[in-house]
Amino acid sequence: MKKTNICTIQNSKIVLDNEIIFETQAENFSHFAKEAYKNLELNYPKFHKMDNLSKLAFLASEMILKDDDHSRTALVFANKSSSLDTDFKYQESINSQENYFPSPAVFVYTLPNICVGEISIKHKMQTENAFFVLDEFDEQFLNDYSWQILQSGKADRVLCGWVELFQENYNAFVYLLTL
């Protein structure tokens, strides 16, 4: 397999193939994501409704996928915290005295695989996708799983990555695999 187009996001910086694509002094992830979306001229209105984990995965993926045809690209992502960041926000909406009912807009994002769903919808992907929750980044595991997908003929490429976000700690390492 060949690994291409490596994107990392951390410390208010997006790096693609060792080149800084975007950098800011944003005070938190939400501000960073908004600034990156605007600066990179991404055009996907649903971005503003996404939770932070989905925004992180989306930004990293967009740097690699862009507007090319990815209908035969699979997605294999992982992280440690699952959707815990959003789960806490959802619990807060339940506990809030102001809201008798919890927010369905937040509930949608209480599963980590929603972020791969958002990417799949944007790029009209018709292939496999998986989101694993692991104790730590295990590139060999992700590559082995991707190898099986590529060998099966179910996809021509696999977008792999680690997209970890909990509170203000975030890190994305996303790359494209081909045969």
Side-chain angles (χ1 to χ4, degrees):
M1 284 188 305
K2 184 170 70 170
K3 182 192 304 186
T4 61
N5 305 104
I6 300 167
C7 179
T8 60
I9 299 177
Q10 61 185 5
N11 302 324
S12 298
K13 186 186 311 183
I14 300 174
V15 178
L16 179 64
D17 297 326
N18 295 319
E19 178 184 336
I20 297 173
I21 301 298
F22 177 75
E23 186 173 18
T24 184
Q25 299 299 318
E27 60 205 48
N28 60 42
F29 179 79
S30 292
H31 287 110
F32 165 74
K34 284 179 190 176
E35 288 181 34
Y37 177 87
K38 184 178 178 182
N39 183 274
L40 297 168
E41 299 178 353
L42 301 176
N43 185 22
Y44 193 64
K46 283 182 65 176
F47 178 84
H48 302 291
K49 295 181 180 182
M50 292 179 193
D51 73 324
N52 284 339
L53 178 62
S54 295
K55 287 178 181 179
L56 177 64
F58 185 86
L59 287 170
S61 298
E62 284 304 294
M63 299 302 98
I64 295 171
L65 300 176
K66 301 189 170 79
D67 291 323
D68 298 334
D69 177 14
H70 287 283
S71 59
R72 298 222 358 109
T73 302
L75 293 167
V76 178
F77 282 10
N79 77 4
K80 181 177 182 172
S81 299
S82 186
S83 59
L84 197 54
D85 188 70
T86 302
D87 296 348
F88 277 125
K89 290 177 181 150
Y90 182 68
Q91 185 62 47
E92 286 173 1
S93 78
I94 291 172
N95 295 342
S96 171
Q97 296 298 330
E98 298 169 14
N99 294 325
Y100 180 71
F101 296 103
S103 172
V106 176
F107 176 75
V108 170
Y109 293 99
T110 58
L111 294 171
N113 65 333
I114 295 302
C115 67
V116 294
E118 293 282 9
I119 297 163
S120 294
I121 291 167
K122 163 79 165 62
H123 290 281
K124 298 176 177 69
M125 295 174 166
Q126 301 171 9
T127 57
E128 300 249 344
N129 71 58
F131 196 107
F132 296 98
V133 179
L134 308 170
D135 285 334
E136 59 187 19
F137 177 54
D138 186 345
E139 187 171 0
Q140 188 62 51
F141 173 80
L142 295 177
N143 290 350
D144 289 347
Y145 192 88
S146 299
W147 172 254
Q148 292 175 5
I149 293 171
L150 291 169
Q151 285 295 299
S152 74
K154 293 180 182 177
D156 299 329
R157 296 169 281 202
V158 179
L159 186 66
C160 287
W162 179 260
V163 286
E164 172 64 19
L165 183 135
F166 182 65
Q167 296 173 338
E168 287 306 317
N169 298 312
Y170 60 93
N171 177 23
F173 176 76
V174 177
Y175 54 95
L176 195 62
L177 288 176
T178 58
L179 286 179

